[in-house]
């Protein structure tokens, strides 16, 4: 007799809000196949054993987009449970240092202004990132 686990798997994800010199943010569209396919997201990925959040974000961005970034200030940590997965998103402001972003492991990439993020469809957990970004910018105005 096999037991089923009533709890979805949990992944800790390092997430980058990558800014360029024009104060635009890099987002990418998930590949159409798979869970949440076709939705836009802030790039990042799963933390590997023994890795810091900053190391994870830098590695994932290099693998997924082919660029080097500087990981900066922590923006927000989000715990969200989908029906199939529980995620903890560790979100950091980042700055593009070197390279031109390429859609290596995503369908498409786009530089957008903060005010334009609402025009894109994101996974539910990412909505809190957008709200935190808007709140943090308000504090500086």
């Amino acid at each position: 007799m096999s037991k089923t686990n009533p709890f979805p798997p949990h992944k800790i994800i390092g997430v980058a809000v990558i800014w360029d010199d024009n104060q635009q943010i890099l987002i990418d569209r998930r590949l159409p196949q798979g869970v949440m396919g076709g939705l836009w997201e802030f790039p990042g990925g799963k933390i590997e054993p023994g890795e810091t959040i900053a190391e994870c974000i830098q590695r994932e961005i290099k693998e997924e987009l082919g660029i080097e970034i500087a990981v900066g200030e922590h923006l927000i940590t989000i715990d969200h449970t989908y029906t199939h997965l529980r995620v903890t998103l560790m979100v950091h402001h980042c700055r593009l240092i070197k390279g031109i972003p390429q859609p290596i492991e995503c369908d498409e990439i786009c530089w957008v202004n903060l005010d334009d993020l609402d025009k894109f469809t994101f996974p539910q957990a990412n909505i809190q990132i957008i709200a935190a970004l808007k709140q943090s910018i308000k504090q500086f105005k």
Side-chain angles (χ1 to χ4, degrees):
M1 180 180 210
S2 66
K3 289 185 177 181
T4 57
N5 188 346
F7 303 104
H10 179 227
K11 291 185 181 178
I12 299 172
I13 311 288
V15 178
V17 176
I18 304 170
W19 296 87
D20 70 3
D21 292 336
N22 298 319
Q23 295 303 303
Q24 290 189 310
I25 301 167
L26 185 65
I27 58 174
D28 67 64
R29 189 196 309 255
R30 298 174 67 95
L31 293 169
Q33 64 274 17
V35 178
M36 295 186 271
L39 297 179
W40 290 89
E41 66 182 357
F42 298 96
K46 188 175 73 146
I47 294 174
E48 299 294 340
E51 209 173 34
T52 67
I53 299 294
E55 290 167 342
C56 166
I57 292 172
Q58 287 174 320
R59 176 185 52 77
E60 287 284 349
I61 299 309
K62 183 74 169 169
E63 291 173 2
E64 293 180 8
L65 303 170
I67 58 174
E68 292 180 26
I69 60 166
V71 178
E73 181 181 325
H74 175 259
L75 172 66
I76 190 172
T77 297
I78 298 166
D79 284 305
H80 187 85
T81 303
Y82 295 101
T83 55
H84 64 286
L85 178 68
R86 181 175 152 233
V87 294
T88 299
L89 306 178
M90 310 287 287
V91 186
H92 284 258
H93 288 286
C94 299
R95 177 139 318 264
L96 175 65
I97 294 177
K98 182 178 174 186
I100 298 171
Q102 305 295 317
I104 297 168
E105 293 186 10
C106 60
D107 198 39
E108 184 180 354
I109 55 175
C110 187
W111 287 104
V112 298
N113 294 317
L114 179 60
D115 292 338
D116 292 333
L117 287 172
D118 294 333
K119 297 175 185 173
F120 296 85
T121 306
F122 286 85
Q124 189 61 40
N126 282 231
I127 304 306
Q128 294 177 62
I129 299 172
I130 295 169
L133 280 168
K134 289 181 177 182
Q135 186 62 37
S136 70
I137 296 302
K138 271 187 199 176
Q139 293 173 352
F140 293 109
K141 289 186 175 182

